[in-house]
Every structure is written in structure tokens, then in C-alpha cells.
Amino acid sequence: MSLPTPAQLAPAIAALFPAGVVVADLREPGNPDLLLPGEGEHLARAAPKRVREFAAGRTCARRAMAELGIAPEALKVGQGRQPLWPSGFTGSITHTDDYCAAAVAPRTIAGALGIDTEIVGDVKADLWPSICTRAEMDRLEALPQRWRAIGATLIFSAKEAFYKSQYPLTGEFLGFHDVEVEGWHDPQDLECLDGGGMGESFVRPTRSIAFERHAAAPFRARHRVIGRHLICGIATLA
């Protein structure tokens, strides 16, 4: 029996992934009453905002899972705080203060998924050194001023999406400087992205990482801007 849900399918975001990946999103606070037994066990001391974000993520995930024919079931949390998906499936969840999305796919289509959304402009210049390699900093600083905010947001989001994709398979913690995002810094490409088009970049490790045993680098990321959000998706083929 399916449960009522305010989450909707999001084909514009699913286009960031290979065919067969389903994405659902939600543009309102999550409703904790829609959580299934066992899902909120670790939320007893969480702030109300965190509970709503968690509920929004599970709501989106269940809408995407329903599209794949998966009956409603509790999505519990792994040791690294990652969602534990049903056997034979993989997925990823992202949220900001006012937006949430979940991507889900059978493992026959994707071995791993990562999705991340960020508000364009939230990655301020004082954060760049902690997030960006020297090469990324040089590329940002070489951009016309108007494109730097979207460029910095793209770098951050691609790294977050990549981390989410690799961690369930490897259990390896990565720092921001352990990978570098390439191929994103042409102003014409950023202008297309800002106009609603879809862009592409590549995530390349700066050191040996465990995920390279599962897929060959560089790892392709796709991204687009919808409203004030930049959304990035990464999929490793099965």
C-alpha cells in the first residue's frame, strides 16, 4: 500500500543521471509524521530543523522508490550517517533549508549515486582555501567576477556529490583537497548553466583513493541551476 506524499518526480534533475535513475524532490519542510517506525531512532535529541530535513529526505526517497516498484519500507542510517537502501538498489539524498531531493536506481543501472544541492553564492570567498585546491583557486580567480559564485558553488557541490557516491562502497572519509574538479571553468559553460542548461565537469583524485577499485577516474559530474539552487549528480555505472 502506498503512502500519501507531497514529494514529486523531478525529471529535470533525473536528467543529470543515466536513464533509469529516478529523482523526486520536495520544496517544503518535511513532515516527521510520515517517518516509518525505526527511521527516527537517532533523532531523539535532534533539533526540529534537523528532524524536518531528515523527514523530507525520506519522503523524497520513498516517492522515488515507489516509482521503481519498491514497497514502502524504513530507510535506516548507516555508521557514516548514509541511508541504507533496499537490497539491489542504491541512492543518495540532499537537502538545503528549503529544498530536498533523492535519487534512486537499481544496481543494475548504477553502482553508486551521489546528489548534492547548494544555494548559489553560499560558498563565500573566505571558504575557498578550505574547499579548493590551488589549481581550483587559480581558475576561480581568473573568472570574471560575475561567474565566481557559481563556479565556487559548483566545485563544492561536485565534491559533496562525489563523496556521497563513494562512501557507501568504500567507507573512506575524504577531505576537500583529496579530489579536484576539472572542466567547469569556461565562462560560456557557466553562462549556459546559469541560463538553465546542463553542464558537465570531472572529479579527479589528487591521491590514491579506495573508490578507484570500483571505477576508473576521472568521475563525471553533471549539474544544472534551478532557481537559486545548483544541483549536481554523479553516477558510477554498474
Side-chain angles (χ1 to χ4, degrees):
M1 186 174 90
S2 62
L3 297 175
T5 173
Q8 301 293 321
L9 295 180
I13 304 171
L16 300 173
F17 298 97
V21 178
V22 177
V23 178
D25 67 3
L26 182 65
R27 300 172 185 272
E28 62 185 67
N31 180 358
D33 292 339
L34 295 180
L35 291 173
L36 297 184
E39 284 187 327
E41 291 175 348
H42 70 296
L43 295 172
R45 298 183 180 180
K49 177 177 179 290
R50 168 61 184 148
V51 175
R52 291 192 297 270
E53 290 174 347
F54 183 88
R58 265 46 188 182
T59 297
C60 291
R62 253 187 293 284
R63 178 64 186 90
M65 290 162 59
E67 191 69 10
L68 292 168
I70 307 170
E73 63 176 85
L75 286 182
K76 295 192 176 182
V77 178
Q79 290 185 345
R81 299 180 64 184
Q82 79 279 17
L84 298 179
W85 301 94
S87 177
F89 292 86
T90 187
S92 183
I93 296 173
T94 183
H95 50 72
T96 64
D97 289 346
D98 58 353
Y99 180 78
C100 181
V104 185
R107 288 195 179 274
T108 53
I109 289 174
L113 294 176
I115 187 171
D116 185 72
T117 181
E118 305 294 336
I119 298 172
V120 176
D122 272 8
V123 184
K124 307 297 184 185
D126 61 332
L127 298 175
W128 293 0
S130 62
I131 294 167
C132 300
T133 65
R134 183 65 258 175
E136 290 167 336
M137 289 277 290
D138 290 344
R139 291 168 189 150
L140 280 173
E141 291 168 353
L143 286 174
Q145 186 70 37
R146 63 177 299 211
W147 299 122
R148 293 181 185 179
I150 195 170
T153 307
L154 189 157
I155 291 169
F156 183 83
S157 188
K159 292 186 179 189
E160 287 287 306
F162 177 72
Y163 181 83
K164 292 178 185 180
S165 72
Q166 67 85 38
Y167 183 81
L169 292 178
T170 68
E172 182 177 21
F173 292 98
L174 298 178
F176 283 110
H177 290 181
D178 290 333
V179 296
E180 191 165 88
V181 186
E182 303 174 341
W184 55 269
H185 55 282
D186 187 322
Q188 289 185 335
D189 292 340
L190 294 175
E191 185 172 8
C192 175
L193 191 63
D194 194 39
M198 188 160 60
E200 185 173 273
S201 62
F202 294 88
V203 179
R204 187 184 300 276
T206 59
R207 64 169 179 84
S208 177
I209 63 172
F211 195 56
E212 291 176 287
R213 295 197 295 268
H214 298 270
F219 308 99
R220 184 170 68 177
R222 289 178 173 168
H223 27 76
R224 71 188 329 157
V225 174
I226 299 177
R228 67 190 191 123
H229 296 93
L230 185 144
I231 303 161
C232 181
I234 291 180
T236 301
L237 298 182

